[in-house]
Amino acid sequence: MEWLSAENVVAVGTAVLGIVASGVMVWYERRTPRRKRIGYRVQMDNPIGDDVRSGRANRRLGLFDEVPGMSDATLVLLRIENDGSQSIADNDYTGRELHGLTAVFTDRTIRGVSVTQPVGTDHLMDHFTPAAGLGYDANTLRIPRVPLNPRDHFKLLVLLSGGDVGCDIRLIGGIRDGEVHPNRSATPDDKAPLFSRASRLITIMLTVCVVTLATIVVARDDTPPPIGCAHGTLTVTGSTAFAPVMEEAAQKYEKDCEGSKVVVDPHGSTAGVRELEAKGLASKKGSPAVVAMSDGPKPSDMPQLKEHRVALSVFAIVVNKGVGLKNLSTADVRRLYRGEIKNWRELGGPDVAVHLVSRDANSGTRQVFQRRVLKRGEIANSSVDCVHKDDPTAPVIRCELDSTDQVLSEVAEVPGAIGYSELTLASGAKGLHVLTLDGHTASVDAIEQGTSSYPYREIEYAYTYGMPPADSLTSSFLNYLTQGVGQDVIRVHGHIPCGTVEGIKLCT
């Protein structure tokens, strides 16, 4: 069966193992590591005399022959550590005696003791005094109540005589809510493991499962291309404000659908729809492979063009950063674009002349601005360079530019300049800032959530000449744009896809 594929089996197995392992580790965490624990281990037990009884003759170090009773001397290195997850205080030792722990060396006699501790724990040495209970008698060593943080340890180097190497060594004592237990033997420089053997085993198993699953997925890259891929060449023209969306969508479509080519060549919304109409009228094969993007609806004299609602775009009014104003009323914006306000000081700004930077007549962004904000057309063009007035009779300087990028660049460079743009491009531009309109912020999120009545917004349309065939590249690309991957691209660029639940309401 299809669901019993190798990657599915590994994926389900990994998930089950992960759930079981998590439960086991939670149980283990609650049952064991949270207890207070003192572990001990013998790191060295060596003879330093003749050790005749064991049959091993060792070269003596020092003059042990001159010391009575030291012919069978041995050295033991005993490590004592806090291997739990909680600190141990001096009052956690439960014995009634002054000392906390007792080390018993079976069949041997203690001759001397030296205490060592790791670097950074010098404070532990203050606890190893006779007054704190440190002392020995015969085969018994009394160890003080030493407070230990997790993973703290100290070592006792004990000189003994009598008995054989390897005789039983025990640490006796009690810990409140915990235990004293022997650890595995280790070399003097060995450290206690950071994770238990069970934890390491589970981690290795999970890692192997994940790597196996990833290998299967990579090796079996049999993902089918998007449904409805078509071959050929398609031209996308029209809106310059929406061009970044179309360029990325075209690149992704070409990557997913081999044998296709989508050329994005924007010239403005009006110019785009008129170019589409002209090619449609000249075409003898029905609908040409051309899509025209428009910021708003097409002119009413083009009945052959069929609309496809793609996204809701939000636009912004921008001013040069030197203007200083953050908000304008709709009434003030209309007065500005009628030429009634010539200097920003009339609106509480600096003593700087107003420069109107507009788009050309083919721009959908301009048409939306006139339709949604001004409720009328703009005044006549009076400047070529946006700086000098070519018409002395004009009330203010006003220039027209061919693209959104040109408008943003000019507004940023010319003191006192004001213009308009698609919101995402405006938000990332330097040298200018976006104005609020009647106190309403230009916000895609607020509009999508239905909490803003910001007016400067419009539906982005894709126009075709008639209805293209269902198996054509035009239909395939439009489906790609309005569904799945295309919706993600639209949203990333700061627009609201018309195909989403929220977008359907806003685009209707």
Side-chain angles (χ1 to χ4, degrees):
M1 290 183 289
E2 195 172 313
W3 65 272
L4 282 175
S5 61
E7 55 264 43
N8 287 348
V9 171
V10 174
V12 172
T14 303
V16 172
L17 182 59
I19 293 171
V20 173
S22 299
V24 170
M25 293 310 298
V26 168
W27 176 85
Y28 183 78
E29 174 73 10
R30 290 181 175 274
R31 296 286 297 179
T32 304
R34 289 296 179 185
R35 300 181 64 192
K36 297 178 181 179
R37 292 156 48 107
I38 285 185
Y40 68 95
R41 43 186 161 149
V42 177
Q43 293 188 297
M44 181 180 69
D45 190 355
N46 289 337
I48 57 174
D50 283 337
D51 198 19
V52 176
R53 290 171 300 169
S54 65
R56 297 190 301 271
N58 296 317
R59 181 70 64 183
R60 297 183 186 279
L61 300 177
L63 302 176
F64 285 97
D65 283 336
E66 299 179 4
V67 180
M70 295 299 292
S71 60
D72 54 359
T74 55
L75 277 177
V76 170
L77 183 63
L78 180 64
R79 174 183 171 124
I80 300 174
E81 58 196 342
N82 180 351
D83 60 358
S85 62
Q86 297 190 33
S87 298
I88 296 175
D90 55 0
N91 59 359
D92 285 325
Y93 295 88
T94 58
R96 294 179 178 275
E97 297 83 0
L98 177 62
H99 61 281
L101 302 172
T102 301
V104 178
F105 300 84
T106 304
D107 297 334
R108 287 189 265 189
T109 302
I110 300 173
R111 298 290 186 175
V113 179
S114 175
V115 183
T116 66
Q117 82 290 325
V119 176
T121 57
D122 294 341
H123 60 283
L124 296 180
M125 293 301 292
D126 296 338
H127 298 277
F128 291 98
T129 63
L134 178 63
Y136 60 87
D137 181 24
N139 68 343
T140 302
L141 172 61
R142 297 180 293 277
I143 304 170
R145 298 169 177 261
V146 181
L148 296 172
N149 291 324
R151 310 198 71 77
D152 276 358
H153 74 273
F154 60 88
K155 299 179 182 180
L156 302 172
L157 183 61
V158 186
L159 175 63
L160 305 116
S161 63
D164 291 332
V165 170
C167 287
D168 184 41
I169 300 173
R170 293 175 294 120
L171 193 66
I172 302 171
I175 300 295
R176 182 181 295 106
D177 298 327
E179 62 179 349
V180 177
H181 68 106
N183 281 337
R184 65 181 179 85
S185 179
T187 62
D189 294 328
D190 196 12
K191 294 182 179 179
L194 182 59
F195 298 104
S196 68
R197 181 176 299 177
S199 298
R200 295 196 298 272
L201 179 60
I202 291 173
T203 301
I204 292 172
M205 291 175 62
L206 289 174
T207 302
V208 169
C209 289
V210 171
V211 171
T212 302
L213 178 61
T215 302
I216 293 175
V217 171
V218 172
R220 296 184 57 187
D221 187 13
D222 54 359
T223 303
I227 298 176
C229 274
H231 299 170
T233 301
L234 172 68
T235 299
V236 178
T237 186
S239 171
T240 62
F242 208 68
V245 176
M246 303 309 297
E247 289 168 354
E248 183 174 345
Q251 292 175 2
K252 290 183 178 295
Y253 184 87
E254 290 176 351
K255 182 178 179 180
D256 290 340
C257 298
E258 294 183 5
S260 63
K261 185 173 181 60
V262 181
V263 179
V264 180
D265 186 25
H267 299 294
S269 296
T270 301
V273 295
R274 294 199 180 281
E275 177 185 348
L276 171 63
E277 183 187 44
K279 290 186 176 182
L281 293 173
S283 176
K284 297 180 180 180
K285 298 181 180 180
S287 180
V290 178
V291 172
M293 304 303 300
S294 176
D295 306 330
K298 64 179 175 64
S300 58
D301 60 345
M302 300 179 181
Q304 304 93 338
L305 303 190
K306 301 300 180 182
E307 69 177 35
H308 310 266
R309 301 188 180 199
V310 175
L312 181 73
S313 295
V314 181
F315 300 87
I317 301 173
V318 295
V319 293
N320 182 276
K321 65 179 181 180
V323 172
L325 299 177
K326 302 297 183 182
N327 176 71
L328 286 177
S329 66
T330 302
D332 287 338
V333 172
R334 291 170 180 171
R335 292 174 61 205
L336 280 165
Y337 279 86
R338 288 197 299 264
E340 297 175 2
I341 299 176
K342 302 177 179 57
N343 193 295
W344 286 106
R345 67 187 174 196
E346 300 176 48
L347 296 176
D351 185 10
V352 178
V354 172
H355 293 247
L356 304 178
V357 181
S358 299
R359 286 292 308 279
D360 60 279
N362 289 323
S363 166
T365 305
R366 171 178 168 178
Q367 292 170 12
V368 175
F369 180 61
Q370 294 176 160
R371 183 168 60 252
R372 297 285 189 178
V373 181
L374 298 185
K375 303 298 184 181
R376 52 160 290 166
E378 298 185 42
I379 60 175
N381 187 23
S382 63
S383 175
V384 174
D385 60 6
C386 301
V387 177
H388 303 93
K389 187 184 294 186
D390 300 327
D391 180 5
T393 64
V396 294
I397 292 175
R398 178 182 175 276
C399 62
E400 295 182 358
L401 300 175
D402 295 334
S403 70
T404 298
D405 289 338
Q406 291 178 0
V407 169
L408 294 174
S409 178
E410 201 68 25
V411 171
E413 291 180 5
V414 177
I418 181 173
Y420 41 81
S421 160
E422 186 271 326
L423 176 59
T424 302
L425 296 176
S427 299
K430 297 181 179 180
L432 50 81
H433 60 264
V434 175
L435 291 174
T436 59
L437 193 58
D438 293 322
H440 298 294
T441 303
S443 169
V444 172
D445 291 339
I447 291 174
E448 187 171 19
Q449 294 168 9
T451 60
S452 174
S453 56
Y454 182 78
Y456 194 11
R457 52 179 168 171
E458 185 57 274
I459 297 172
E460 191 72 29
Y461 293 90
Y463 284 101
T464 58
Y465 190 86
M467 291 302 296
D471 59 350
S472 66
L473 177 57
T474 303
S475 292
S476 174
F477 181 72
L478 286 176
N479 289 334
Y480 187 87
L481 180 65
T482 56
Q483 303 173 14
V485 175
Q487 289 187 353
D488 294 338
V489 174
I490 291 171
R491 188 172 293 282
V492 165
H493 284 271
H495 306 271
I496 303 172
C498 284
T500 63
V501 175
E502 297 80 5
I504 291 174
K505 299 177 183 178
L506 293 169
C507 294
T508 301

